[in-house]
Amino acid sequence: MIAADRTKIHIFYIILLSMAVLVTHFLTQLSTSTALQITAGCLILVISILKTEAALYILIFSMLLSPEIKVAGGGGRDVVLRVDDLLLVIIGLSWLAKTAIFKEMGIFRKTPLNRPILIYAMVCAFSTIFGVLFGRVKPAAGFFYVLKYVEYFLVYFLIVNHLRNEDQIRRFIWAILLTGVLLSVYGMLQIPSGVRVSAPFEGKNGEPNTMGGYLLLLISLVSGLFLTARTQKEKLVFLGLAAFFSVPFIYTLSRTSWFALIPMIGTLIYFSYRKTVLIYFVILAIALTPMVAPKSAKERFLYTFQKTQTKSIKVAGVALDPSSSDRITSWGRCLNDFVNHPILGYGITGYGFIDGQYFRTLVELGLVGMIALLYLMVVIFREVLRVYRACAQPYYKGLALGMLAGCSAMFMHSVGANTFIIVRIMEPFWFLVGVVVMMPSLEQDNPENEQGRPGQLRKSGVRK
């Protein structure tokens, strides 16, 4: 057995060396900039093959710097790829190459999310294929957008196949939080200019909704960790991070993200064992908001209900601003056109741009796609809740509670944004879902953790 493993390793390194020689010869025929880009890609590929964990760190930090490359257009939308997308492809290919050589590694570890993920991915593919056949979808645009819809599942499978112990989880979480800190600093630097805060490389006008959703996910995560922290130092760190992330979050002026705070906080209150502390925080925040909220945030909120010269619609007798009116009007148009292709929809990119995940899914993927998406969401929330109730260790408990709140926030965020296909939100989301799903098995494999000390568990606010 050992001899066979050594043979595989030798073959593996011979293949790598051969590839290096071929690539080196090929690079001499290219321009300097192209050669450097290909070299960087090959370097990441080699790192991914030799050390998957290192590649995952690269992927986490790439969430901060992701330039766009336009590759196709269709349905009134440009298809763009980011560095994150390319990294996922490279890391995924290297992972598949390793599993092909070392078959004992396995490709997809069995988890409760495998089935809903597969169903949703198949619906996306079949709906778009039918759209191409009937001329509603341009092949190139449909192909790349289907990849965009399902590529984040690769992050999930990478993490569930790679996690082995709690130390890895802690390192990954701190890497994600550090990325959030860097992105928050970048956002704060934009505040004096008066523009809505957004992430780098988001185009001329930026995507504040994306930044808001990303920061909201991190705020949910650190809030859960704060509520289950064992020491005052940990509590101060997580509370400080929540406050730090909240500053650029407010200045995104993203009403969709602000409204998503409501289910996030509601989830924390309902499931946390520290309801009283959290309720006091919420009451204090509500009382102070009118006094400490920046002028731009107040104006943005009030603008929602301002009637202007342009055409606006009324909801419950209240006139909405043009932006909200246009969004709601587009949703109504989706419902009217949905009846033309109710089963599998128009196909991905077959209808046009719609700002709202649920309405977009309904018109693009039909009833079948909507059911598949909702089924996926329900299973995610159910499994995270199961983990929260099953795990005894405070740190695991906090991560699960934070992700429960994060799921609620992302589900609400999806009403006004295409949350489940946004790279900056879905990469950390599926990464964290993978971490949480694996925690019970890791806790069972490490019986020497804190679950054997009930006194500390009661002190941390965690009940068994």
Side-chain angles (χ1 to χ4, degrees), residues 121-187:
M122 290 179 64
V123 172
C124 289
F126 281 115
S127 174
T128 306
I129 290 171
F130 277 110
V132 171
L133 293 176
F134 289 99
R136 297 189 295 267
V137 175
K138 294 182 178 179
F143 172 77
F144 282 108
Y145 258 92
V146 168
L147 287 182
K148 193 175 184 66
Y149 273 50
V150 302
E151 67 175 315
Y152 312 116
F153 301 143
L154 180 59
V155 176
Y156 172 79
F157 288 114
L158 280 170
I159 196 67
V160 299
N161 279 270
H162 180 71
L163 275 182
R164 295 292 180 270
N165 54 62
E166 180 186 336
D167 290 338
Q168 282 182 312
I169 291 179
R170 291 182 179 270
R171 290 195 298 268
F172 283 138
I173 295 302
W174 281 115
I176 289 174
L177 295 179
L178 176 58
T179 304
V181 168
L182 295 175
L183 197 57
S184 296
V185 171
Y186 177 86

Side-chain angles (χ1 to χ4, degrees), residues 159-324:
I159 196 67
V160 299
N161 279 270
H162 180 71
L163 275 182
R164 295 292 180 270
N165 54 62
E166 180 186 336
D167 290 338
Q168 282 182 312
I169 291 179
R170 291 182 179 270
R171 290 195 298 268
F172 283 138
I173 295 302
W174 281 115
I176 289 174
L177 295 179
L178 176 58
T179 304
V181 168
L182 295 175
L183 197 57
S184 296
V185 171
Y186 177 86
M188 290 178 184
L189 294 176
Q190 300 175 61
I191 294 175
S193 67
V195 300
R196 295 177 63 188
V197 168
S198 62
F201 301 107
E202 289 284 3
K204 184 178 180 180
N205 298 319
E207 293 290 345
N209 268 357
T210 298
M211 182 74 156
Y214 172 80
L215 290 172
L216 185 58
L217 180 63
L218 296 188
I219 292 170
S220 302
L221 185 69
V222 295
S223 296
L225 291 169
F226 164 75
L227 290 169
T228 59
R230 293 174 299 169
T231 66
Q232 292 299 322
K233 181 180 178 181
E234 288 178 329
K235 293 176 185 177
L236 286 174
V237 169
F238 293 129
L239 184 60
L241 284 172
F244 191 76
F245 295 148
S246 296
V247 175
F249 173 77
I250 292 171
Y251 279 95
T252 61
L253 306 183
S254 169
R255 293 169 295 186
T256 296
S257 302
W258 292 348
F259 288 129
L261 275 171
I262 298 173
M264 184 207 87
I265 295 172
T267 301
L268 288 174
I269 292 175
Y270 185 82
F271 289 105
S272 173
Y273 295 110
R274 289 183 167 177
K275 291 180 173 59
T276 304
V277 174
L278 196 54
I279 290 173
Y280 285 149
F281 265 107
V282 172
I283 294 174
L284 181 63
I286 293 174
L288 294 177
T289 295
M291 293 179 284
V292 302
K295 182 180 178 181
S296 57
K298 295 178 184 177
E299 291 176 347
R300 178 67 174 172
F301 178 78
L302 294 175
Y303 175 71
T304 306
F305 310 104
Q306 290 179 357
K307 188 174 181 179
T308 62
Q309 296 293 330
T310 57
K311 184 179 179 180
S312 63
I313 65 173
K314 290 185 177 181
V315 176
V318 179
L320 301 181
D321 67 278
S323 175
S324 301

